[in-house]
Amino acid sequence: MPRLVRRIRAQYPRADDARVADFEREYRSVLGEILDHPQHFGRADILTLCEQQQALLRKHGFDDPYLDIKTRENAAALAALPAVLRELDAAEPQREVELLARGLLAGNLFDLGAAITAERYHNGSHDFWRSRAELPPRPWFIDDLDAWAVRWRTGAAYRHAAFFVDNAGWDICLGCLPLARWMVRRGTRVSLAANSHAALNDITATELVQLVSGEAVVDDEIARAVSEGWLRIVPTGSGTPLLDLKALSPQCVAALADADLVMLHGMGRSLESNRTAEFTCDVLRTAVVKDPLVAAHVGAKLMDCVFRFTPV
Ligand code: MG
């Protein structure tokens, strides 16, 4: 609560104290209600908490407390993208696959929803390259990177990857976009499925469209993939940092219906939700374990890496 209220005050400096206090009071009362009468909420789990928080933020006019941070971090990450792409293009194929995976995991450390990474961010000890270098050594907590690489090297290209992305900044720009570009090169159509509404520092579909089109675009290949329909942005209908696949918008379901690879990126979408979900196509789950409760729940240590590839 204190972290969220500080962020609201920073993003909405003109909001008067009473309005912020109203939000805080109502939020505490809803949390109390969930605690006392969980049955009133259908189910009481972390997704319920996220949904309630976002609904209250919107109700009180604080739709997107992380907007300024996302905008700033997107610009910084886009500026670093050409260097990341050059490094990937110069790497041997095996090394390239590993660099892409490490970029995805390091990118995911830009997360203002977890105390450990939020603290790093606010301390200024926030650097993509260093984070990537300091990832735990392989094998990771769950490490299917070799199987993933073999699948791409020896199998037919996937037709269509439904890539559920997570955070703004490094995560989308230096983790997800380079991997999407790599998959498109191999003949796979990629749909980047992003939240329709703001949640924490997650990228929204609207923001993502701005990142890959128009003046912002810094890579011709990505721009071409977008204009030729190989790389698409699909709004999920969601506005939480977790993903309820039963609640995807009909448009999203229709757009992803022929996907033969599902990618669930980030702790919220691949561990806190959908960890035990079963699919009728191949699935890649990628995450860094950034929360002590989640770590205890899955038997991992804080900052452990998950690269979990589950072929059908
Ligand atoms: Mg997130």
Side-chain angles (χ1 to χ4, degrees), residues 113-225:
I116 184 169
T117 44
E119 200 171 297
R120 279 186 193 189
Y121 178 79
H122 293 298
N123 287 344
S125 53
H126 164 78
D127 176 86
F128 174 77
W129 307 92
R130 200 172 67 210
S131 295
R132 200 182 68 181
E134 290 174 357
L135 287 175
R138 293 186 62 199
W140 295 316
F141 174 64
I142 299 179
D143 191 337
D144 296 327
L145 179 57
D146 294 342
W148 167 256
V150 167
R151 169 61 185 80
W152 280 94
R153 201 167 57 237
T154 60
Y158 290 103
R159 269 193 326 271
H160 182 189
F163 193 170
F164 291 88
V165 298
D166 184 2
N167 304 313
W170 307 344
D171 196 17
I172 187 72
C173 297
L174 306 185
C176 300
L177 282 179
L179 179 56
R181 172 181 177 261
W182 181 87
M183 291 192 289
V184 167
R185 273 187 186 175
R186 273 148 194 81
T188 301
R189 201 152 55 78
V190 179
S191 291
L192 298 173
N195 274 4
S196 298
H197 315 288
L200 292 169
N201 63 314
D202 289 4
I203 190 86
T204 65
T206 310
E207 291 160 352
L208 187 46
V209 167
Q210 287 163 4
L211 283 186
V212 297
S213 52
E215 287 171 17
V217 113
V218 293
D219 179 64
D220 292 345
E221 210 176 319
I222 292 174
R224 201 165 54 244

Side-chain angles (χ1 to χ4, degrees), residues 108 110-113 165-168 171 195 199-203 240-242 265-269 290:
N108 203 239
F110 172 51
D111 184 343
L112 302 179
V165 298
D166 184 2
N167 304 313
D171 196 17
N195 274 4
L200 292 169
N201 63 314
D202 289 4
I203 190 86
T240 59
L242 279 69
H265 183 49
M267 187 175 76
R269 290 171 182 77
K290 288 165 286 193

